[in-house]
Amino acid sequence: MFMNFRRIRKCQFVQLLMMCFVLSMVMVCWEQLDYHVVSHVKSYSYRYLINSYEFINKSFGISQLEAEGLNNIPYLINHRNKCNGNELLLLFVKSSPENFGRRQAIRATWGNETYSERELRVTIRVVYVLGVHPDIQQRDRMQRMLLKEDQVYRDLVQQDFLDTFHNLTMKLVLQFRWSHAYCSNARFLMSADDDVFVHLPNLVSYLQDVSQRGVRDLWVGHVHRGAPPVRQKSSKYHVPYELYRWPSYPDYTAGAGYVISGDVASKLYQATLSLKASLYIDDVFMGICASAMGLYPQEHVYFSGEGKAPYHPCIYDKMITSHGHKADVRYLWKVATDPQIQNITAGLAGKLYCTAVRVMLLCKPYNFNTYSCKAAFS
Ligand SMILES: *[C@@H]1O[C@H](CO)[C@@H](O)[C@H](O)[C@H]1NC(C)=O
Ligand SMILES: *[C@@H]1O[C@H](CO)[C@@H](O)[C@H](O)[C@H]1NC(C)=O
Ligand SMILES: *[C@@H]1O[C@H](CO)[C@@H](O)[C@H](O)[C@H]1NC(C)=O
Ligand SMILES: *[C@@H]1O[C@H](CO)[C@@H](O)[C@H](O)[C@H]1NC(C)=O
């Protein structure tokens, strides 16, 4: 009897200890948990309302005259005849005046129009969109360098606004206005940051496939569903209540890299003529424009959000975009477009091997920022 009692006590003691441990873990992590889980649950339930009702549309609506006034920013550098009407893809690279090195790397790799023409047999136009350098001390020197760069490559489009994080929405509006005015026949339009890697051969074969199926209303990328606005003042993405009062954003694709079809581009252009571009997080503003037009994004598991894709041939075989590449764009282009990748991935054995590798690389806990575990099986 006595022994038994002690055994129970001991077992309870262990349980108690475990409970304390779990509770203290929860308490330590509460702030994180609260922010990530609770606010996501809240906003996720709310997104159905946001996505299906019109109050966003109403609250951002302005008259066309007002929108014209806000959006009619003069071009400082422009190329009106860049497109010839046969473009499969018009590719906007969101760059900044000082990022010459990144533009050079892109021109030599995934943004190389000659390569697409010769190797992939499609016409792609690449345009770097910029504002003016925010630092007044450097602006003139920078502007002269940009003009020189543009004389050589003829691929910059610059408008007269300060090129800052909080003016990113202006760049977004620029893209839609520019494509509407000068490249309205492009079948697809892509927007990418200048630190993104795009696997152009994979992208082109995906677009050709989509195009053959005659898909309309295509808006594809890394989708954020029911994301809550960040209310912490210290965050770069902080959005005050006055600017956006609902607990969840409409669905949108990460601005790092997404693709839309030509018909979506023209609908979004129409939206920018009647909505106030006050929300400075550009990809969220795009979500607002899209929801006003009744458009919803679709997920593609090989568009990355914030993160870098793992370096492996089995990933290169499928990847479309990967984010956060500055120094290694040339290296990655070389290895990711190597024809020998086929030898590793082809056949049943290759497929099984690659699925196993991708499960190891992608199905890890805390793998938030790159491709999801789902991607391993596609
Ligand atoms: C672009 O690609 C072509 C054809 O593949 C190549 O000859 C050329 O050197 C490339 N351009 C740059 C800047 O690397
Ligand atoms: C955005 O650009 C405009 C026009 O140059 C400028 O007046 C404004 O201060 C800029 N906004 C920010 C937040 O940099
Ligand atoms: C949003 O508002 C515009 C202009 O008021 C209207 O044309 C459009 O149909 C609205 N969109 C939706 C999804 O209700
Ligand atoms: C890859 O395959 C090609 C043709 O199928 C062959 O010529 C080449 O030698 C192979 N490379 C390797 C490393 O096996």
Side-chain angles (χ1 to χ4, degrees), residues 54 57 274 291-294:
E54 285 190 8
N57 197 9
S274 66
S291 84
M293 301 309 282

Short mmCIF file of all heavy atoms in Angstrom, two decimals, residues 54 57 274 291-294, ligand 3:
data_model
loop_
_atom_site.label_atom_id
_atom_site.label_comp_id
_atom_site.label_asym_id
_atom_site.label_seq_id
_atom_site.Cartn_x
_atom_site.Cartn_y
_atom_site.Cartn_z
N GLU A 54 -17.06 44.67 -49.76
CA GLU A 54 -16.58 45.81 -50.53
C GLU A 54 -16.02 46.94 -49.69
O GLU A 54 -15.69 47.97 -50.23
CB GLU A 54 -17.74 46.38 -51.36
CG GLU A 54 -18.08 45.52 -52.53
CD GLU A 54 -19.06 46.22 -53.45
OE1 GLU A 54 -19.33 47.42 -53.22
OE2 GLU A 54 -19.54 45.58 -54.37
N ASN A 57 -12.75 48.35 -50.87
CA ASN A 57 -12.99 49.05 -52.13
C ASN A 57 -13.51 50.45 -51.85
O ASN A 57 -13.03 51.44 -52.40
CB ASN A 57 -14.02 48.23 -52.91
CG ASN A 57 -14.06 48.60 -54.37
OD1 ASN A 57 -13.22 49.36 -54.82
ND2 ASN A 57 -15.04 48.10 -55.08
N SER A 274 -8.82 54.34 -59.68
CA SER A 274 -9.92 54.70 -58.80
C SER A 274 -9.64 54.41 -57.33
O SER A 274 -10.51 54.52 -56.49
CB SER A 274 -11.19 53.95 -59.23
OG SER A 274 -11.01 52.58 -59.03
N SER A 291 -8.48 42.92 -55.21
CA SER A 291 -9.77 42.54 -54.62
C SER A 291 -10.86 43.49 -55.10
O SER A 291 -12.01 43.08 -55.24
CB SER A 291 -9.68 42.43 -53.10
OG SER A 291 -9.85 43.67 -52.50
N ALA A 292 -10.48 44.74 -55.39
CA ALA A 292 -11.47 45.66 -55.94
C ALA A 292 -11.92 45.21 -57.33
O ALA A 292 -13.02 45.55 -57.77
CB ALA A 292 -10.90 47.07 -56.01
N MET A 293 -11.07 44.47 -58.02
CA MET A 293 -11.43 44.00 -59.36
C MET A 293 -11.92 42.56 -59.34
O MET A 293 -12.10 41.95 -60.40
CB MET A 293 -10.23 44.10 -60.31
CG MET A 293 -9.64 45.49 -60.47
SD MET A 293 -10.85 46.76 -60.88
CE MET A 293 -11.11 46.45 -62.60
N GLY A 294 -12.06 42.00 -58.16
CA GLY A 294 -12.54 40.62 -58.05
C GLY A 294 -11.52 39.58 -58.49
O GLY A 294 -11.88 38.53 -59.01
C1 LIG B 3 -15.08 48.62 -56.52
O1 LIG B 3 -15.45 49.97 -56.80
C2 LIG B 3 -15.45 50.30 -58.16
C3 LIG B 3 -15.73 51.80 -58.30
O2 LIG B 3 -16.54 52.24 -57.26
C4 LIG B 3 -16.47 49.44 -58.91
O3 LIG B 3 -16.44 49.74 -60.28
C5 LIG B 3 -16.10 47.97 -58.70
O4 LIG B 3 -17.06 47.15 -59.31
C6 LIG B 3 -16.00 47.64 -57.22
N1 LIG B 3 -15.51 46.28 -57.08
C7 LIG B 3 -16.15 45.32 -56.42
C8 LIG B 3 -15.49 43.98 -56.36
O5 LIG B 3 -17.21 45.51 -55.90
#
